[in-house]
Amino acid sequence: QVQLVESGGGLVQPGESLRLSCAASGTIFRIVAMGWYRQAPGKQRELVATITAGHSTNYADSVKGRFTVSRNNAMNAVDLQMNTLKPEDTAVYYCNARLYTDPRFWGDYWGEGTLVTVSS
């Protein structure tokens, strides 16, 4: 089994910063990529940022220049530094890991989510 545990959500004012962290544990053979998705009320879950084991990154257009995703390969962890937060960033943020649990089988695993609220 694989577990993803997120931390760092909370309530901030517009323009402020927040850092999310996620650590994967369990039966992990190799991690292909980790990242963050979010789901705002009444909307579908969307990609925020991902990073591969080789540190290639991908960002949603709406967060480019404001958010930075980083990985700690040794710790099977991924962080999301969020700067200049806007009210429209309000959502539940989910950590994702695409990984192999053995040399043959891979899957997508999700954390339970952490709420980020941006409001004055």
Side-chain angles (χ1 to χ4, degrees), residues 2-110:
V2 175
Q3 298 83 36
L4 300 181
V5 178
E6 303 126 329
S7 62
L11 171 64
V12 296
Q13 295 187 349
E16 293 186 338
S17 299
L18 205 59
R19 188 176 185 89
L20 305 182
S21 297
C22 172
S25 61
T27 306
I28 299 172
F29 176 74
R30 179 170 65 90
I31 294 180
V32 176
M34 296 186 75
W36 295 90
Y37 291 70
R38 68 186 180 187
Q39 188 167 15
K43 295 188 177 181
Q44 291 187 333
R45 190 174 298 189
E46 63 177 3
L47 178 146
V48 176
T50 60
I51 183 167
T52 68
H55 297 274
S56 295
T57 58
N58 183 40
Y59 293 93
D61 287 343
S62 60
V63 307
K64 284 180 180 177
R66 300 189 297 123
F67 291 11
T68 302
V69 63
S70 59
R71 275 197 59 182
N72 183 331
N73 287 341
M75 299 297 293
N76 291 333
V78 63
D79 291 342
L80 184 69
Q81 178 65 41
M82 304 184 292
N83 297 329
T84 319
L85 282 160
K86 304 175 181 180
E88 50 264 44
D89 294 317
T90 295
V92 177
Y93 284 69
Y94 296 92
C95 178
N96 168 269
R98 175 163 291 185
L99 59 87
Y100 285 80
T101 53
D102 69 20
R104 297 168 298 166
F105 299 111
W106 65 272
D108 278 314
Y109 296 85
W110 296 89

